[in-house]
Amino acid sequence: AIFDEPEAGIDIWSFQNLIKIFEKMRREIRNSSIIIISHQERLISIADEIIVIANGRIQRQGNGKEILPTLIGTKSISSVCDKLR
């Protein structure tokens, strides 16, 4: 199953239910894959494996403990924050 930004346009309560659904799918579905394309840290944090793609190329790949810290405070995120100020 492939989900492309499934959290887009939903409220916080629906987002919490979405997390529960993905966690249940992760526990119960065997011998198949679930691919979730997302920018939401909460969704990313439940992944077995994270692949970061930038400019059409794989930039990083690994588990959450390896990848999540490299995403927080990166130049690209910092530049977006600067623009929002």
Side-chain angles (χ1 to χ4, degrees):
I2 300 175
F3 299 90
D4 187 2
E5 297 194 21
E7 74 283 355
I10 62 174
D11 59 44
I12 190 74
W13 298 278
S14 298
F15 183 74
Q16 294 301 324
N17 286 329
L18 182 66
I19 295 293
K20 290 176 186 175
I21 289 167
F22 284 136
E23 288 173 337
K24 182 178 180 186
M25 289 174 73
R26 184 177 181 214
R27 282 189 312 271
E28 295 179 1
I29 295 176
R30 300 287 179 232
N31 300 321
S32 63
S33 297
I34 302 168
I35 298 171
I36 303 171
I37 302 163
S38 180
H39 299 95
Q40 292 291 327
E41 183 179 346
R42 180 65 181 106
L43 281 176
I44 294 170
S45 68
I46 66 172
D48 292 324
E49 184 172 3
I50 299 169
I51 300 172
V52 178
I53 299 173
N55 299 318
R57 299 191 185 276
I58 295 175
Q59 301 297 315
R60 290 181 214 107
Q61 183 174 353
N63 64 40
K65 289 181 181 181
E66 297 168 339
I67 302 299
L68 282 175
T70 69
L71 298 177
I72 299 171
T74 60
K75 183 178 177 182
S76 60
I77 291 175
S78 298
S79 66
V80 169
C81 292
D82 290 338
K83 289 177 185 177
L84 293 175
R85 289 185 200 155

